[in-house]
Amino acid sequence: MAYKCSRCKRDVELDEYGGVRCPYCGHRVLLKERSRDVKEVSVQ
């Protein structure tokens, strides 16, 4: 799953056994990347 570090803005891939920490700068706040798909919602 793709995340982005909120401090250094680099892409981070997390595996099953790794901790939630940026391997480049050590920051613990990672942002989940949003999908670029546009979803339509019908209103009734």
Side-chain angles (χ1 to χ4, degrees):
M1 191 162 258
Y3 292 88
K4 187 172 289 250
C5 176
S6 66
R7 180 185 287 164
C8 68
K9 308 293 188 228
R10 294 179 82 171
D11 291 330
V12 176
E13 284 289 329
L14 297 181
D15 58 358
E16 293 179 29
Y17 305 107
V20 180
R21 188 178 292 263
C22 177
Y24 305 106
C25 70
H27 197 60
R28 295 180 63 189
V29 178
L30 301 177
L31 305 172
K32 187 173 182 180
E33 290 289 307
R34 289 187 175 205
S35 166
R36 297 190 187 274
D37 297 337
V38 176
K39 297 180 180 178
E40 293 183 21
V41 178
S42 63
V43 180
Q44 296 181 8

